[in-house]
Amino acid sequence: MGRADPEEGQLPAPVKPPDGGWGWIVLLGCFVITGFSYAFPKAVSVYFKELMKDFHVGYSDTAWISSIMLAMLYGTGPICSIMVNQFGCRPVMLIGGLLASAGMILASFTTNIIELYLTAGVLTGLGMALNFQPSLIMLGTYFDKRRPLANGLAAAGSPVFLSSLSPLGQVLLEKFGWRGGFLIMGGLLLNCCTCGAVMRPLDMGMKRKMEKTQDKYEAKEMLPIGGKSEEGISTADGTKKAKKAKKKPRKGKKLLDFSIFSNRGFIIYTISKFILVLGLFVPPILLVNYAKDTGVPDTEAAFLLSIIGFIDIFARPACGMVAGLKWVRPHVAYLFSFSMLFNGLTDICSARASNYTGLVIFCVFFGISYGMVGALQFEVLMAIVGSQKFSSAIGLVLLIEAFAVLIGPPSAGRLVDALKNYEVIFYLAGSEVVLSALFLAMATYCCLNRGKKKEPPPENNPSVGGGSDTEEAESDVQEAEEHSSDNHQPAHSTDNAMVAASEEANHVADEQSGEGGGCPAGDGEVLARDGCNADQTVERDSF
């Protein structure tokens, strides 16, 4: 994802994902951003006890800090989509890193809970949102065949940071108090700016390489003309200028594409995720205080989150590798449904854990199931809508999930204050997650798979909502061929016009003769070769 063309107000043309190279650096940046975005709201819960004492508030009041962070992470999704489509990923992420850091630094000087909501909640949450969504979009542009593995590795950032930030927060709380801890955390969030700086737009480098190769080929065609090499080079330069002047505007892309709501798979996914988020984040947010209330020392209570994070570290990449298998990837939605069912049953079966050993066992199974959910959630969405519509799809999904985030943890906190019983909370959270799993599996089988059997899709349309990449790639090839033909038109004299027309006819004949073998070959056919690869390699897995 690069900067949008100011004349077109849209993202540049898609190019083939390299599935490696600089993509591994982008993956590392996405790993760090994901870690901060998901682990930070949970790690902040270590400070809740001290905040309750200083501000004389209940647990439900302090729980709003984490909820507001997550709500900003989700609720500002459409705003992030518009900004990314307009300005590109890199500048948006740099601004987000500064906002996230400024929010925690200002939070260290607050004097009441409302100011904490505005600084640590709103400002830091907005900053992390402006980092999180663009990083996922960049990951989708750099990886295609290895995308499930890339998503799993990037999602592993959440448990790695959770297992680190939670003990670190406890140490900072003991040595510097919650204000000093917030200040240091704000400094750590400046690393988001570094991650944003490495998000190099993929298409700009590829287009420059293609243009340089094409210009070299044009000059090479002109050079053999007897005694007119300089004129041939000047003709190539004139052709390049004419190409820029005659460049046809690409079909405009909306800053926020609402047409994805016509995709049944997207609707099913959105409803399922809304129900899931109602209960998914409740157990880890309440876990530390639940352990402290049962008599577990503060340090050991904070270590429970580290156990979840440690298990999660291995669960996410492993699940990503499994999801990338040829016989699993077409059915990744069912694997996602199974992971949610596993997570919900873990909450329900562990609701009566009343000692440290029982809580440790709960953390082990919760870490496995939570890691599976985290590794698959965005892979399923990419498989449904395709990478070209992913920027709009994720923004709208996160907006809808924001309402669930605002309902789930605060409601659980109020129930804890009213009932003084965590068992009911775990039952409710687990039931919501199980319901989302059953809905996704049943709706996928009844509404999508049966529909495919009754109405087989037309040729060259491999999956529901998955043809967007191929269609746009084909349009790019056609446009490139038009530009290629324009590059061989006459420039200065009648003699040159006749020679250029002859070269164009030979070039077209070579292209037609190469069609029978698949992709044309030759130094001068870079655009056509890339177009052929796009048709053959851009695939979408069926939902």
Side-chain angles (χ1 to χ4, degrees):
M1 289 289 170
R3 179 181 176 86
D5 192 324
E7 296 179 358
E8 301 172 1
Q10 65 174 45
L11 291 172
V15 295
K16 179 185 175 183
D19 277 308
W22 188 258
W24 298 117
I25 305 298
V26 173
L27 175 59
L28 178 61
C30 191
F31 175 88
V32 175
I33 295 298
T34 304
F36 276 122
S37 299
Y38 277 119
F40 205 84
K42 304 180 187 71
V44 170
S45 63
V46 173
Y47 300 96
F48 284 178
K49 283 285 185 180
E50 293 298 321
L51 295 175
M52 291 167 62
K53 293 178 182 178
D54 286 2
F55 295 143
H56 306 289
V57 294
Y59 181 79
S60 61
D61 297 316
T62 57
W64 271 99
I65 299 174
S66 296
S67 296
I68 292 174
M69 282 188 182
L70 292 172
M72 293 301 296
L73 181 66
Y74 292 142
T76 56
I79 298 176
C80 295
S81 296
I82 293 173
M83 292 182 66
V84 167
N85 289 340
Q86 184 65 31
F87 303 109
C89 292
R90 181 184 288 173
V92 173
M93 293 181 68
L94 291 174
I95 295 174
L98 294 176
L99 289 177
S101 177
M104 291 304 296
I105 293 174
L106 292 175
S108 64
F109 299 100
T110 56
T111 57
N112 57 65
I113 196 68
I114 301 299
E115 293 176 356
L116 269 179
Y117 293 160
L118 296 176
T119 53
V122 175
L123 198 58
T124 299
L126 176 61
M128 289 190 295
L130 294 178
N131 276 273
F132 176 63
Q133 186 172 324
S135 67
L136 291 178
I137 295 172
M138 288 297 298
L139 193 67
T141 61
Y142 271 88
F143 291 92
D144 184 25
K145 292 182 179 179
R146 297 177 178 174
R147 194 183 65 209
L149 176 61
N151 276 318
L153 292 173
S158 175
V160 170
F161 276 66
L162 181 60
S163 60
S164 304
L165 291 178
S166 183
L168 176 62
Q170 189 66 40
V171 172
L172 295 176
L173 179 62
E174 294 174 357
K175 291 189 175 182
F176 305 103
W178 68 267
R179 294 185 185 274
F182 277 19
L183 188 63
I184 296 174
M185 290 287 192
L188 290 176
L189 286 174
L190 284 174
N191 288 290
C192 295
C193 295
T194 304
C195 296
V198 304
M199 298 295 173
R200 185 172 67 192
L202 172 64
D203 53 340
M204 293 181 67
M206 297 291 290
K207 282 186 176 180
R208 288 173 184 171
K209 183 177 180 180
M210 292 166 62
E211 288 180 359
K212 187 180 295 185
T213 305
Q214 186 178 2
D215 294 341
K216 181 180 179 181
Y217 171 69
E218 291 171 358
K220 184 178 179 181
E221 279 188 329
M222 297 297 181
L223 285 175
I225 302 175
K228 296 182 180 180
S229 60
E230 294 182 357
E231 184 178 354
I233 295 175
S234 64
T235 303
D237 294 338
T239 304
K240 182 179 179 181
K241 294 180 181 179
K243 177 186 69 174
K244 291 183 177 180
K246 296 180 181 180
K247 183 179 179 181
K248 298 180 181 180
R250 292 175 55 83
K251 186 178 180 180
K253 180 179 179 181
K254 299 178 181 179
L255 294 180
L256 196 60
D257 190 358
F258 290 96
S259 66
I260 55 177
F261 282 106
S262 61
N263 188 331
R264 288 185 298 176
F266 176 76
I267 297 296
I268 293 171
Y269 176 87
T270 303
I271 296 174
S272 176
K273 279 300 296 293
F274 177 84
I275 302 173
L276 171 68
V277 173
L278 285 174
L280 181 64
F281 300 119
V282 171
I285 290 178
L286 297 179
L287 181 61
V288 174
N289 287 281
Y290 173 43
K292 291 179 180 180
D293 288 348
T294 56
V296 177
D298 292 353
T299 304
E300 294 182 5
F303 185 69
L304 291 173
L305 291 179
S306 299
I307 295 175
I308 294 178
F310 180 77
I311 300 298
D312 205 355
I313 290 171
F314 300 99
R316 297 195 182 212
C319 188
M321 294 178 64
V322 172
L325 298 177
K326 292 182 179 180
W327 56 275
V328 175
R329 196 171 182 184
H331 310 288
V332 68
Y334 293 107
L335 182 60
F336 183 47
S337 178
F338 170 77
S339 66
M340 292 190 293
L341 181 64
F342 185 16
N343 184 270
L345 293 177
T346 301
D347 294 341
I348 294 174
C349 295
S350 304
R352 293 191 177 185
S354 57
N355 53 52
Y356 191 70
T357 303
L359 291 175
V360 169
I361 295 174
F362 162 76
C363 290
V364 171
F365 286 97
F366 186 87
I368 296 173
S369 59
Y370 191 79
M372 294 175 65
V373 173
L376 295 174
Q377 57 179 341
F378 297 115
E379 171 61 27
V380 173
L381 181 59
M382 288 181 185
I384 294 172
V385 301
S387 62
Q388 296 306 309
K389 292 186 177 181
F390 181 70
S391 60
S392 295
I394 188 175
L396 295 171
V397 167
L398 293 179
L399 174 62
I400 294 172
E401 290 179 14
F403 294 101
V405 172
L406 287 174
I407 295 172
S411 300
R414 290 194 176 276
L415 287 174
V416 169
D417 292 338
L419 302 176
K420 306 297 181 181
N421 186 355
Y422 286 88
E423 182 178 339
V424 177
I425 307 303
F426 278 76
Y427 279 130
L428 287 175
S431 300
E432 291 163 349
V433 177
V434 169
L435 177 62
S436 66
L438 296 177
F439 174 80
L440 178 62
M442 294 174 62
T444 300
Y445 178 77
C446 297
C447 299
L448 297 181
N449 290 356
R450 285 189 174 182
K452 286 182 180 179
K453 293 178 181 178
K454 293 180 180 179
E455 299 178 4
E459 295 181 0
N460 300 327
N461 185 17
S463 64
V464 178
S468 57
D469 289 353
T470 306
E471 293 173 0
E472 294 198 19
E474 290 176 351
S475 66
D476 293 339
V477 174
Q478 294 176 358
E479 186 175 326
E481 289 177 352
E482 293 176 1
H483 290 166
S484 178
S485 63
D486 291 341
N487 292 339
H488 297 281
Q489 291 180 358
H492 294 289
S493 63
T494 306
D495 294 338
N496 289 339
M498 295 175 64
V499 173
S502 176
E503 294 291 340
E504 179 184 3
N506 294 334
H507 183 57
V508 172
D510 292 339
E511 288 184 347
Q512 291 177 351
S513 63
E515 289 177 358
C519 297
D523 294 334
E525 297 170 353
V526 175
L527 293 177
R529 189 190 308 117
D530 288 344
C532 185
N533 286 339
D535 275 339
Q536 292 181 358
T537 61
V538 176
E539 299 178 355
R540 286 292 139 232
D541 302 308
S542 60
F543 184 67

